[in-house]
Amino acid sequence: DVKVTQSSRYLVKRTGEKVFLECVQDMDHENMFWYRQDPGLGLRLIYFSYDVKMKEKGDIPEGYSVSREKKERFSLILESASTNQTSMYLCASRNPGTGYNEQFFGPGTRLTVL
Amino acid sequence: GEDVEQSLFLSVREGDSSVINCTYTDSSSTYLYWYKQEPGAGLQLLTYIFSNMDMKQDQRLTVLLNKKDKHLSLRIADTQTGDSAIYFCAETATSGTYKYIFGTGTRLKVLA
């Protein structure tokens, strides 16, 4: 069974802290994504990685960075957390051009920044 | 720019049909999806439709696509309390892009 896991389901951090959100997929997928989900706004793409050490900015990259040193792992970094980064963060992966281009999602990390 | 719109809430009685609607603007979309998000969970693909199709049926789910009006709908027959969730429509092209455009999500509440 396809699986995407995220390191934490809930996280509480203080303003100014450096925050790491980890995502691991076991499907040997090339592409991985980080989204944030906010009520009434749907999912917005933060960063995308099309292969190891390759990344592209999404629609809202400001305040975030990413790291993909291994194919299965994609990390989202908040260099200095702020209260407006309180949100649900969703990781996804896919193999491009296969089947119907489905993305597989992790369970999400609900981050609260105080 | 590209946009996908959905109504935010829908409430139905158990056993009735639910219809969740979505409009999109990108005419180059090739795949359109319906994802379900249960409370506290990630998104799970429910069904998808290829843009050269008008309709797709999968057990209790019926997807209708009107390309002329850029309108996508998901009908859930015999809605159950376990169908209570947020439903997202999304679109993408077949290749050459990583871009998925998601709707705002429709929160379906099923009343017993």
Side-chain angles (χ1 to χ4, degrees), chain B residues 55-79:
Chain B
M55 186 182 93
K56 181 178 179 183
Q57 189 145 4
D58 184 1
Q59 299 182 346
R60 291 192 298 123
L61 306 178
T62 303
V63 179
L64 295 177
L65 176 61
N66 181 328
K67 287 187 288 291
K68 176 174 165 288
D69 295 337
K70 296 182 185 169
H71 183 264
L72 181 74
S73 68
L74 173 70
R75 179 177 180 269
I76 306 172
D78 186 25
T79 312

PDB file of all heavy atoms in Angstrom, chain B residues 55-79:
ATOM      1  N   MET B  55     -18.862  11.755 -18.266  1.00  0.00           N
ATOM      2  CA  MET B  55     -19.416  11.171 -17.052  1.00  0.00           C
ATOM      3  C   MET B  55     -18.584   9.965 -16.643  1.00  0.00           C
ATOM      4  O   MET B  55     -18.026   9.250 -17.482  1.00  0.00           O
ATOM      5  CB  MET B  55     -20.858  10.718 -17.286  1.00  0.00           C
ATOM      6  CG  MET B  55     -21.560  10.225 -16.040  1.00  0.00           C
ATOM      7  SD  MET B  55     -23.232   9.639 -16.356  1.00  0.00           S
ATOM      8  CE  MET B  55     -22.929   7.921 -16.600  1.00  0.00           C
ATOM      9  N   LYS B  56     -18.539   9.768 -15.346  1.00  0.00           N
ATOM     10  CA  LYS B  56     -17.889   8.567 -14.829  1.00  0.00           C
ATOM     11  C   LYS B  56     -18.657   8.116 -13.599  1.00  0.00           C
ATOM     12  O   LYS B  56     -18.992   8.938 -12.744  1.00  0.00           O
ATOM     13  CB  LYS B  56     -16.439   8.865 -14.460  1.00  0.00           C
ATOM     14  CG  LYS B  56     -15.700   7.659 -13.949  1.00  0.00           C
ATOM     15  CD  LYS B  56     -14.262   7.997 -13.637  1.00  0.00           C
ATOM     16  CE  LYS B  56     -13.546   6.774 -13.108  1.00  0.00           C
ATOM     17  NZ  LYS B  56     -12.156   7.071 -12.726  1.00  0.00           N
ATOM     18  N   GLN B  57     -18.927   6.819 -13.537  1.00  0.00           N
ATOM     19  CA  GLN B  57     -19.664   6.296 -12.385  1.00  0.00           C
ATOM     20  C   GLN B  57     -18.822   5.248 -11.678  1.00  0.00           C
ATOM     21  O   GLN B  57     -18.170   4.418 -12.318  1.00  0.00           O
ATOM     22  CB  GLN B  57     -20.980   5.670 -12.856  1.00  0.00           C
ATOM     23  CG  GLN B  57     -21.887   5.294 -11.727  1.00  0.00           C
ATOM     24  CD  GLN B  57     -23.356   5.487 -12.063  1.00  0.00           C
ATOM     25  OE1 GLN B  57     -23.712   5.833 -13.186  1.00  0.00           O
ATOM     26  NE2 GLN B  57     -24.198   5.267 -11.092  1.00  0.00           N
ATOM     27  N   ASP B  58     -18.830   5.322 -10.360  1.00  0.00           N
ATOM     28  CA  ASP B  58     -18.057   4.377  -9.573  1.00  0.00           C
ATOM     29  C   ASP B  58     -18.852   4.117  -8.301  1.00  0.00           C
ATOM     30  O   ASP B  58     -18.803   4.887  -7.356  1.00  0.00           O
ATOM     31  CB  ASP B  58     -16.679   4.973  -9.253  1.00  0.00           C
ATOM     32  CG  ASP B  58     -15.787   3.993  -8.504  1.00  0.00           C
ATOM     33  OD1 ASP B  58     -16.225   2.852  -8.241  1.00  0.00           O
ATOM     34  OD2 ASP B  58     -14.645   4.385  -8.183  1.00  0.00           O
ATOM     35  N   GLN B  59     -19.611   3.037  -8.307  1.00  0.00           N
ATOM     36  CA  GLN B  59     -20.475   2.653  -7.180  1.00  0.00           C
ATOM     37  C   GLN B  59     -21.405   3.804  -6.825  1.00  0.00           C
ATOM     38  O   GLN B  59     -22.240   4.194  -7.645  1.00  0.00           O
ATOM     39  CB  GLN B  59     -19.621   2.190  -6.001  1.00  0.00           C
ATOM     40  CG  GLN B  59     -18.762   0.975  -6.350  1.00  0.00           C
ATOM     41  CD  GLN B  59     -17.939   0.468  -5.190  1.00  0.00           C
ATOM     42  OE1 GLN B  59     -17.761   1.120  -4.165  1.00  0.00           O
ATOM     43  NE2 GLN B  59     -17.422  -0.731  -5.332  1.00  0.00           N
ATOM     44  N   ARG B  60     -21.306   4.395  -5.644  1.00  0.00           N
ATOM     45  CA  ARG B  60     -22.241   5.461  -5.256  1.00  0.00           C
ATOM     46  C   ARG B  60     -21.856   6.823  -5.823  1.00  0.00           C
ATOM     47  O   ARG B  60     -22.599   7.794  -5.652  1.00  0.00           O
ATOM     48  CB  ARG B  60     -22.308   5.561  -3.723  1.00  0.00           C
ATOM     49  CG  ARG B  60     -22.982   4.371  -3.048  1.00  0.00           C
ATOM     50  CD  ARG B  60     -23.280   4.643  -1.580  1.00  0.00           C
ATOM     51  NE  ARG B  60     -22.074   4.877  -0.798  1.00  0.00           N
ATOM     52  CZ  ARG B  60     -21.856   5.983  -0.088  1.00  0.00           C
ATOM     53  NH1 ARG B  60     -22.730   6.968  -0.056  1.00  0.00           N
ATOM     54  NH2 ARG B  60     -20.740   6.108   0.620  1.00  0.00           N
ATOM     55  N   LEU B  61     -20.707   6.908  -6.474  1.00  0.00           N
ATOM     56  CA  LEU B  61     -20.197   8.191  -6.956  1.00  0.00           C
ATOM     57  C   LEU B  61     -20.446   8.352  -8.447  1.00  0.00           C
ATOM     58  O   LEU B  61     -20.168   7.436  -9.217  1.00  0.00           O
ATOM     59  CB  LEU B  61     -18.695   8.285  -6.693  1.00  0.00           C
ATOM     60  CG  LEU B  61     -18.216   8.056  -5.267  1.00  0.00           C
ATOM     61  CD1 LEU B  61     -16.697   8.135  -5.207  1.00  0.00           C
ATOM     62  CD2 LEU B  61     -18.844   9.052  -4.313  1.00  0.00           C
ATOM     63  N   THR B  62     -20.944   9.534  -8.823  1.00  0.00           N
ATOM     64  CA  THR B  62     -21.082   9.884 -10.229  1.00  0.00           C
ATOM     65  C   THR B  62     -20.425  11.234 -10.443  1.00  0.00           C
ATOM     66  O   THR B  62     -20.739  12.202  -9.734  1.00  0.00           O
ATOM     67  CB  THR B  62     -22.564   9.971 -10.649  1.00  0.00           C
ATOM     68  OG1 THR B  62     -23.209   8.731 -10.358  1.00  0.00           O
ATOM     69  CG2 THR B  62     -22.676  10.270 -12.145  1.00  0.00           C
ATOM     70  N   VAL B  63     -19.511  11.295 -11.399  1.00  0.00           N
ATOM     71  CA  VAL B  63     -18.857  12.545 -11.742  1.00  0.00           C
ATOM     72  C   VAL B  63     -19.383  12.998 -13.099  1.00  0.00           C
ATOM     73  O   VAL B  63     -19.442  12.212 -14.046  1.00  0.00           O
ATOM     74  CB  VAL B  63     -17.328  12.363 -11.824  1.00  0.00           C
ATOM     75  CG1 VAL B  63     -16.660  13.671 -12.220  1.00  0.00           C
ATOM     76  CG2 VAL B  63     -16.777  11.863 -10.502  1.00  0.00           C
ATOM     77  N   LEU B  64     -19.777  14.251 -13.163  1.00  0.00           N
ATOM     78  CA  LEU B  64     -20.226  14.840 -14.429  1.00  0.00           C
ATOM     79  C   LEU B  64     -19.306  15.989 -14.795  1.00  0.00           C
ATOM     80  O   LEU B  64     -18.967  16.814 -13.936  1.00  0.00           O
ATOM     81  CB  LEU B  64     -21.660  15.361 -14.299  1.00  0.00           C
ATOM     82  CG  LEU B  64     -22.734  14.313 -14.061  1.00  0.00           C
ATOM     83  CD1 LEU B  64     -24.095  14.997 -13.886  1.00  0.00           C
ATOM     84  CD2 LEU B  64     -22.806  13.310 -15.211  1.00  0.00           C
ATOM     85  N   LEU B  65     -18.912  16.032 -16.051  1.00  0.00           N
ATOM     86  CA  LEU B  65     -18.037  17.087 -16.534  1.00  0.00           C
ATOM     87  C   LEU B  65     -18.693  17.809 -17.697  1.00  0.00           C
ATOM     88  O   LEU B  65     -19.026  17.179 -18.713  1.00  0.00           O
ATOM     89  CB  LEU B  65     -16.686  16.508 -16.965  1.00  0.00           C
ATOM     90  CG  LEU B  65     -15.695  17.484 -17.588  1.00  0.00           C
ATOM     91  CD1 LEU B  65     -15.334  18.600 -16.616  1.00  0.00           C
ATOM     92  CD2 LEU B  65     -14.445  16.747 -18.050  1.00  0.00           C
ATOM     93  N   ASN B  66     -18.865  19.101 -17.557  1.00  0.00           N
ATOM     94  CA  ASN B  66     -19.380  19.950 -18.634  1.00  0.00           C
ATOM     95  C   ASN B  66     -18.236  20.871 -19.044  1.00  0.00           C
ATOM     96  O   ASN B  66     -17.975  21.882 -18.399  1.00  0.00           O
ATOM     97  CB  ASN B  66     -20.596  20.743 -18.130  1.00  0.00           C
ATOM     98  CG  ASN B  66     -21.182  21.623 -19.209  1.00  0.00           C
ATOM     99  OD1 ASN B  66     -20.466  22.130 -20.088  1.00  0.00           O
ATOM    100  ND2 ASN B  66     -22.476  21.842 -19.150  1.00  0.00           N
ATOM    101  N   LYS B  67     -17.574  20.490 -20.133  1.00  0.00           N
ATOM    102  CA  LYS B  67     -16.370  21.252 -20.530  1.00  0.00           C
ATOM    103  C   LYS B  67     -16.737  22.642 -21.046  1.00  0.00           C
ATOM    104  O   LYS B  67     -15.985  23.587 -20.894  1.00  0.00           O
ATOM    105  CB  LYS B  67     -15.586  20.480 -21.583  1.00  0.00           C
ATOM    106  CG  LYS B  67     -14.870  19.274 -21.019  1.00  0.00           C
ATOM    107  CD  LYS B  67     -13.975  18.624 -22.050  1.00  0.00           C
ATOM    108  CE  LYS B  67     -14.768  17.901 -23.108  1.00  0.00           C
ATOM    109  NZ  LYS B  67     -15.441  16.708 -22.576  1.00  0.00           N
ATOM    110  N   LYS B  68     -17.881  22.742 -21.658  1.00  0.00           N
ATOM    111  CA  LYS B  68     -18.290  24.023 -22.230  1.00  0.00           C
ATOM    112  C   LYS B  68     -18.446  25.063 -21.108  1.00  0.00           C
ATOM    113  O   LYS B  68     -17.972  26.195 -21.230  1.00  0.00           O
ATOM    114  CB  LYS B  68     -19.594  23.854 -22.990  1.00  0.00           C
ATOM    115  CG  LYS B  68     -20.184  25.124 -23.558  1.00  0.00           C
ATOM    116  CD  LYS B  68     -21.408  24.805 -24.409  1.00  0.00           C
ATOM    117  CE  LYS B  68     -22.226  26.058 -24.683  1.00  0.00           C
ATOM    118  NZ  LYS B  68     -22.939  26.535 -23.495  1.00  0.00           N
ATOM    119  N   ASP B  69     -19.076  24.640 -20.019  1.00  0.00           N
ATOM    120  CA  ASP B  69     -19.295  25.549 -18.892  1.00  0.00           C
ATOM    121  C   ASP B  69     -18.183  25.461 -17.850  1.00  0.00           C
ATOM    122  O   ASP B  69     -18.236  26.152 -16.833  1.00  0.00           O
ATOM    123  CB  ASP B  69     -20.635  25.244 -18.208  1.00  0.00           C
ATOM    124  CG  ASP B  69     -21.806  25.529 -19.130  1.00  0.00           C
ATOM    125  OD1 ASP B  69     -21.646  26.341 -20.067  1.00  0.00           O
ATOM    126  OD2 ASP B  69     -22.874  24.927 -18.927  1.00  0.00           O
ATOM    127  N   LYS B  70     -17.224  24.558 -18.074  1.00  0.00           N
ATOM    128  CA  LYS B  70     -16.119  24.345 -17.120  1.00  0.00           C
ATOM    129  C   LYS B  70     -16.686  24.044 -15.734  1.00  0.00           C
ATOM    130  O   LYS B  70     -16.325  24.668 -14.732  1.00  0.00           O
ATOM    131  CB  LYS B  70     -15.169  25.529 -17.098  1.00  0.00           C
ATOM    132  CG  LYS B  70     -14.469  25.722 -18.425  1.00  0.00           C
ATOM    133  CD  LYS B  70     -13.488  26.878 -18.397  1.00  0.00           C
ATOM    134  CE  LYS B  70     -12.914  27.093 -19.784  1.00  0.00           C
ATOM    135  NZ  LYS B  70     -12.160  28.348 -19.882  1.00  0.00           N
ATOM    136  N   HIS B  71     -17.560  23.076 -15.710  1.00  0.00           N
ATOM    137  CA  HIS B  71     -18.264  22.717 -14.491  1.00  0.00           C
ATOM    138  C   HIS B  71     -18.105  21.235 -14.232  1.00  0.00           C
ATOM    139  O   HIS B  71     -18.302  20.401 -15.127  1.00  0.00           O
ATOM    140  CB  HIS B  71     -19.738  23.087 -14.639  1.00  0.00           C
ATOM    141  CG  HIS B  71     -20.526  22.824 -13.403  1.00  0.00           C
ATOM    142  ND1 HIS B  71     -21.255  21.657 -13.222  1.00  0.00           N
ATOM    143  CD2 HIS B  71     -20.698  23.554 -12.275  1.00  0.00           C
ATOM    144  CE1 HIS B  71     -21.834  21.704 -12.030  1.00  0.00           C
ATOM    145  NE2 HIS B  71     -21.522  22.836 -11.445  1.00  0.00           N
ATOM    146  N   LEU B  72     -17.727  20.928 -13.009  1.00  0.00           N
ATOM    147  CA  LEU B  72     -17.521  19.551 -12.565  1.00  0.00           C
ATOM    148  C   LEU B  72     -18.421  19.311 -11.364  1.00  0.00           C
ATOM    149  O   LEU B  72     -18.549  20.193 -10.502  1.00  0.00           O
ATOM    150  CB  LEU B  72     -16.055  19.354 -12.170  1.00  0.00           C
ATOM    151  CG  LEU B  72     -15.603  17.982 -11.698  1.00  0.00           C
ATOM    152  CD1 LEU B  72     -15.515  17.022 -12.879  1.00  0.00           C
ATOM    153  CD2 LEU B  72     -14.238  18.082 -11.020  1.00  0.00           C
ATOM    154  N   SER B  73     -19.049  18.154 -11.314  1.00  0.00           N
ATOM    155  CA  SER B  73     -19.856  17.856 -10.129  1.00  0.00           C
ATOM    156  C   SER B  73     -19.600  16.436  -9.656  1.00  0.00           C
ATOM    157  O   SER B  73     -19.203  15.562 -10.423  1.00  0.00           O
ATOM    158  CB  SER B  73     -21.347  18.067 -10.408  1.00  0.00           C
ATOM    159  OG  SER B  73     -21.817  17.101 -11.317  1.00  0.00           O
ATOM    160  N   LEU B  74     -19.827  16.248  -8.367  1.00  0.00           N
ATOM    161  CA  LEU B  74     -19.714  14.931  -7.734  1.00  0.00           C
ATOM    162  C   LEU B  74     -21.045  14.636  -7.063  1.00  0.00           C
ATOM    163  O   LEU B  74     -21.491  15.402  -6.211  1.00  0.00           O
ATOM    164  CB  LEU B  74     -18.595  14.924  -6.687  1.00  0.00           C
ATOM    165  CG  LEU B  74     -18.481  13.648  -5.840  1.00  0.00           C
ATOM    166  CD1 LEU B  74     -17.987  12.482  -6.699  1.00  0.00           C
ATOM    167  CD2 LEU B  74     -17.546  13.868  -4.653  1.00  0.00           C
ATOM    168  N   ARG B  75     -21.667  13.559  -7.472  1.00  0.00           N
ATOM    169  CA  ARG B  75     -22.916  13.149  -6.843  1.00  0.00           C
ATOM    170  C   ARG B  75     -22.638  11.907  -6.006  1.00  0.00           C
ATOM    171  O   ARG B  75     -22.037  10.936  -6.482  1.00  0.00           O
ATOM    172  CB  ARG B  75     -23.984  12.851  -7.898  1.00  0.00           C
ATOM    173  CG  ARG B  75     -25.306  12.392  -7.314  1.00  0.00           C
ATOM    174  CD  ARG B  75     -26.335  12.184  -8.435  1.00  0.00           C
ATOM    175  NE  ARG B  75     -27.612  11.739  -7.919  1.00  0.00           N
ATOM    176  CZ  ARG B  75     -27.968  10.460  -7.776  1.00  0.00           C
ATOM    177  NH1 ARG B  75     -27.151   9.499  -8.134  1.00  0.00           N
ATOM    178  NH2 ARG B  75     -29.151  10.139  -7.291  1.00  0.00           N
ATOM    179  N   ILE B  76     -23.068  11.950  -4.758  1.00  0.00           N
ATOM    180  CA  ILE B  76     -22.949  10.801  -3.869  1.00  0.00           C
ATOM    181  C   ILE B  76     -24.360  10.300  -3.606  1.00  0.00           C
ATOM    182  O   ILE B  76     -25.189  11.018  -3.025  1.00  0.00           O
ATOM    183  CB  ILE B  76     -22.271  11.174  -2.536  1.00  0.00           C
ATOM    184  CG1 ILE B  76     -20.919  11.854  -2.780  1.00  0.00           C
ATOM    185  CG2 ILE B  76     -22.090   9.924  -1.658  1.00  0.00           C
ATOM    186  CD1 ILE B  76     -20.281  12.412  -1.522  1.00  0.00           C
ATOM    187  N   ALA B  77     -24.645   9.090  -4.062  1.00  0.00           N
ATOM    188  CA  ALA B  77     -25.969   8.514  -3.841  1.00  0.00           C
ATOM    189  C   ALA B  77     -26.048   7.902  -2.449  1.00  0.00           C
ATOM    190  O   ALA B  77     -25.036   7.454  -1.898  1.00  0.00           O
ATOM    191  CB  ALA B  77     -26.248   7.444  -4.893  1.00  0.00           C
ATOM    192  N   ASP B  78     -27.264   7.910  -1.871  1.00  0.00           N
ATOM    193  CA  ASP B  78     -27.486   7.271  -0.574  1.00  0.00           C
ATOM    194  C   ASP B  78     -26.416   7.713   0.436  1.00  0.00           C
ATOM    195  O   ASP B  78     -25.680   6.896   1.006  1.00  0.00           O
ATOM    196  CB  ASP B  78     -27.481   5.743  -0.739  1.00  0.00           C
ATOM    197  CG  ASP B  78     -27.856   5.003   0.530  1.00  0.00           C
ATOM    198  OD1 ASP B  78     -28.567   5.598   1.370  1.00  0.00           O
ATOM    199  OD2 ASP B  78     -27.424   3.842   0.697  1.00  0.00           O
ATOM    200  N   THR B  79     -26.332   9.012   0.646  1.00  0.00           N
ATOM    201  CA  THR B  79     -25.281   9.577   1.504  1.00  0.00           C
ATOM    202  C   THR B  79     -25.361   9.034   2.922  1.00  0.00           C
ATOM    203  O   THR B  79     -26.442   8.971   3.513  1.00  0.00           O
ATOM    204  CB  THR B  79     -25.396  11.110   1.524  1.00  0.00           C
ATOM    205  OG1 THR B  79     -25.537  11.596   0.195  1.00  0.00           O
ATOM    206  CG2 THR B  79     -24.137  11.721   2.127  1.00  0.00           C
TER     207      THR B  79
END
